[in-house]
Amino acid sequence: MHPPLSLIWFFLTAGTSIGLFTFTYFMEFLTLWGKNTALPKHMVVFSSLLSLVLIGLGAVGASFHLGHKLRAWKAIRRFRTSWLSREAVFSGAYGLSLLIFLALRYYDVTGFLYHAVGILTFLLGWLGAFSTAMIYASNKFVLEWNTSLTVLYFLDMYLMLGSSAFLAMTYHYDPRWVGTYVFLTFLFVTLGLFFRLAFNIRQAFLKRPTLNEALNLPHNRPIRVLDTGTTTTNYCTEEFYYRKGKELLPITIPIAYILTFVVPIFLLLYVWISGKNQYAFYAVTFASLLVGSLLERWSFFVEGNHVQNLFYGLYPEEGYKLRKGFMEWKKTKITYR
């Protein structure tokens, strides 16, 4: 699939926003249970303001993915059936709720209303994140994405970005929590590494459909594409198959692994073992995660293969060997209408 840069931009900004707010409010939420975790007011205000700016920038960037921007309001009309519509509704509501939360903290309203809005903002943010992940995971025509791993990994990446951003912020405002967030960031990045490895390993064992199955013919009938039906490239061949991106994957995926997982894990382990508590390590950890996530999302799109590519001879063929035995027994059925 062709990687849309506007959606990658939305992932990075919305992911950092929701992740950062999650940990900021989580510390405030614990005070309800008598814990001494309240953050300085200026830290909560700055973190919430940064989260609000990021989700706003994400919404602006995502609008470039729309064909007709003046019809963007129609995206919310299919809430009952469309994950895209739910993403738009929940993300918009999250931004509005976050603005109210920021105003309440700025004017020192920290009672029931403050926490009620904080919990609502938290829920709306993660409902929006889940809806975004389900847009890909529910797509049955791109088998690489059609798995619960897509959702788990997607949500964990939000936690990776949020915990690393919070780690760098708490170093300045409230150093008590540096050790805790070094551990949490390490935990989420390690989980992300396992999810990504599982995602890539799964691709090697995917039972892909073949051209024979698409035409309802058994596999012992050799079939190959002679004519794609078009003399030039078109929307289908360009948007659903990114040839240049496929050629770059052997380079981008290893770099994404290094920047997203290897560098942050190494830095966090070094801080943990050596006890050298320096801001530069946390800043580099977040920057490395951010750039690595950009490359990882780019690779995620390019790795996806839409089944319509079968008819253009651009689809992987591994599925033939895996299901050959079953398809040999399938009878040819031809119907006339």
Side-chain angles (χ1 to χ4, degrees):
M1 301 287 288
H2 202 109
L5 295 182
S6 57
L7 297 187
I8 296 174
W9 169 259
F10 179 76
F11 166 80
L12 294 176
T13 52
T16 306
S17 170
I18 294 170
L20 181 59
F21 177 79
T22 295
F23 293 108
T24 302
Y25 180 68
F26 177 69
M27 303 302 287
E28 298 283 274
F29 179 75
L30 289 180
T31 61
L32 291 174
W33 309 98
K35 304 294 183 183
N36 184 26
T37 56
L39 298 170
K41 174 186 173 182
H42 48 290
M43 178 177 175
V44 178
V45 170
F46 178 72
S47 176
S48 303
L49 180 61
L50 182 59
S51 297
L52 185 62
V53 170
L54 285 172
I55 195 66
L57 290 174
V60 172
S63 68
F64 287 96
H65 189 64
L66 298 170
H68 299 280
K69 296 177 178 55
L70 293 179
R71 301 177 190 172
W73 63 274
K74 291 187 176 180
I76 65 174
R77 295 173 58 187
R78 304 289 182 183
F79 184 82
R80 293 179 58 186
T81 56
S82 167
W83 286 110
L84 178 64
S85 176
R86 292 165 192 159
E87 177 202 40
V89 171
F90 287 132
S91 297
Y94 163 74
L96 179 61
S97 184
L98 183 56
L99 176 62
I100 298 172
F101 177 84
L102 171 62
L104 290 174
R105 189 66 187 92
Y106 183 78
Y107 290 107
D108 292 323
V109 181
T110 56
F112 171 79
L113 182 61
Y114 174 70
H115 286 288
V117 174
I119 293 171
L120 179 64
T121 307
F122 169 83
L123 292 175
L124 289 171
W126 283 102
L127 284 172
F130 181 75
S131 300
T132 306
M134 284 302 296
I135 293 173
Y136 306 109
S138 63
N139 189 334
K140 297 179 180 178
F141 302 107
V142 182
L143 299 182
E144 288 80 2
W145 303 347
N146 187 218
T147 167
S148 55
L149 270 175
T150 300
V151 179
L152 293 173
Y153 180 48
F154 192 93
L155 298 182
D156 185 69
M157 289 188 82
Y158 274 28
L159 293 174
M160 289 161 54
L161 290 167
S163 60
S164 59
F166 188 88
L167 173 61
M169 192 173 292
T170 199
Y171 178 88
H172 279 298
Y173 290 102
D174 199 345
R176 288 180 299 162
W177 308 111
V178 167
T180 302
Y181 278 88
V182 165
F183 169 75
L184 286 177
T185 305
F186 176 80
L187 175 66
F188 294 132
V189 173
T190 305
L191 274 176
L193 174 59
F194 282 115
F195 285 140
R196 219 330 168 165
L197 282 171
F199 182 78
N200 280 124
I201 292 172
R202 176 179 173 274
Q203 290 185 43
F205 295 95
L206 267 180
K207 293 182 178 179
R208 303 178 190 278
T210 65
L211 192 56
N212 293 62
E213 290 172 328
L215 298 174
N216 198 28
L217 295 172
H219 277 297
N220 55 7
R221 310 288 175 86
I223 295 176
R224 61 190 176 93
V225 177
L226 295 177
D227 186 359
T228 61
T230 57
T231 55
T232 61
T233 57
N234 55 45
Y235 179 84
C236 291
T237 57
E238 291 182 353
E239 290 299 316
F240 294 161
Y241 185 82
Y242 187 38
R243 186 181 301 279
K244 188 175 181 181
K246 295 283 187 188
E247 294 170 359
L248 290 174
L249 276 181
I251 299 173
T252 57
I253 288 183
I255 295 175
Y257 264 94
I258 290 171
L259 293 177
T260 311
F261 306 113
V262 177
V263 172
I265 287 176
F266 173 78
L267 287 174
L268 295 171
L269 279 177
Y270 179 75
V271 170
W272 208 348
I273 295 171
S274 68
K276 292 186 177 180
N277 183 26
Q278 296 180 12
Y279 176 73
F281 291 132
Y282 309 132
V284 173
T285 297
F286 175 69
S288 181
L289 267 170
L290 195 65
V291 177
S293 298
L294 186 152
L295 286 173
E296 192 281 335
R297 283 295 95 180
W298 186 91
S299 303
F300 170 81
F301 279 105
V302 177
E303 286 173 287
N305 295 288
H306 199 290
V307 292
Q308 67 101 49
N309 290 336
L310 277 169
F311 296 100
Y312 296 98
L314 301 171
Y315 198 75
E317 299 177 352
E318 289 84 348
Y320 172 74
K321 295 178 182 177
L322 292 172
R323 287 196 286 177
K324 182 179 178 182
F326 167 75
M327 291 301 296
E328 296 300 341
W329 291 95
K330 194 171 182 180
K331 296 180 179 179
T332 303
K333 296 179 180 178
I334 301 176
T335 58
Y336 298 95
R337 293 182 180 179

